[in-house]
């Protein structure tokens, strides 16, 4: 087996550490995602981790067919155990080089494995930023995952058929801004957002 293009493990661990820091009192706190408190962001992270794990395994079904915008999931009672486990399984599944080849599905969309891996990196990087900002914690994403997320978001922003984009209209940031700020702006978020 050859090496996979990107190890999502370091970024998944960063997200898991942020989630571990969440107190019960912070579950209702706002996030940079409008109308999405911390509890729903954590639930989204749990669901997307399972969906992208299954997408990597080419285990297509209910988890990979569900549009993430269809409903806002609520946070299950056992999320403190389930989320880190799902993040570990996601990272492990994408360590298999075959995850990055062929076709798969995520969010009800058929796409090449390589693109699905880039979307998984983007989800972990950007939602990691969302969670860190909501909690008022410092955030330094894994650099290879950040570079992958930025490349994916830039390509999406340059797509003439994008409309308002994957996550909302692009927020312009200075060209000399840090790469994380540029990625956050491309995702439709304001890098200056604070809780």
């Amino acid at each position: 087996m050859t090496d996979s293009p990107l190890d999502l493990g370091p970024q998944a661990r960063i997200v898991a550490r942020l989630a571990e820091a969440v107190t019960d009192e912070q579950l209702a706190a706002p996030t940079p995602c409008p109308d999405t408190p911390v509890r729903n962001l954590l639930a989204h992270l749990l669901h997307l981790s399972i969906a992208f794990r299954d997408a990597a395994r080419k285990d297509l079904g209910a988890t990979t067919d569900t549009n993430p915008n269809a409903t806002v999931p609520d946070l299950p009672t056992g999320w403190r155990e389930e989320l880190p486990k799902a993040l570990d399984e996601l990272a492990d599944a994408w360590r298999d080089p075959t995850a990055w080849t062929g076709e798969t599905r995520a969010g009800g969309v058929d796409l090449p494995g390589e693109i699905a891996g880039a979307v998984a990196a983007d989800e972990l990087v950007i939602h990691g930023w969302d969670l860190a900002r909501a909690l008022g914690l410092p955030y330094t994403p894994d650099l290879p995952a950040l570079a992958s997320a930025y490349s994916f978001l830039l390509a999406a922003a340059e797509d003439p058929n994008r409309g308002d984009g994957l996550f909302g209209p692009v927020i312009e940031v200075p060209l000399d801004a840090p790469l994380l700020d540029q990625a956050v702006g491309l995702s439709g978020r304001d890098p200056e957002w604070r809780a």
Side-chain angles (χ1 to χ4, degrees), residues 81 89 126 128 134 139 192:
E81 295 77 34
E89 290 174 351
I126 298 300
Y139 180 61
E192 299 302 316

Side-chain angles (χ1 to χ4, degrees), residues 11-29:
Q11 182 60 35
R13 285 190 294 277
I14 290 168
V15 173
R17 283 194 298 271
L18 287 167
E20 186 180 330
V22 175
T23 65
D24 289 345
E25 294 74 27
Q26 291 171 314
L27 290 175

Side-chain angles (χ1 to χ4, degrees), residues 52 55 101-117 119 152:
F52 279 97
T101 64
E103 292 289 314
T104 191
R105 184 179 310 125
V109 177
D110 292 326
L111 64 170
E114 183 178 11
I115 301 298
V119 174
F152 169 74

Side-chain angles (χ1 to χ4, degrees), residues 118-140:
V119 174
D122 170 65
E123 293 277 352
L124 292 175
V125 167
I126 298 300
H127 287 317
W129 180 85
D130 291 333
L131 186 55
R133 282 298 165 102
L135 301 176
L137 295 175
Y139 180 61
T140 303

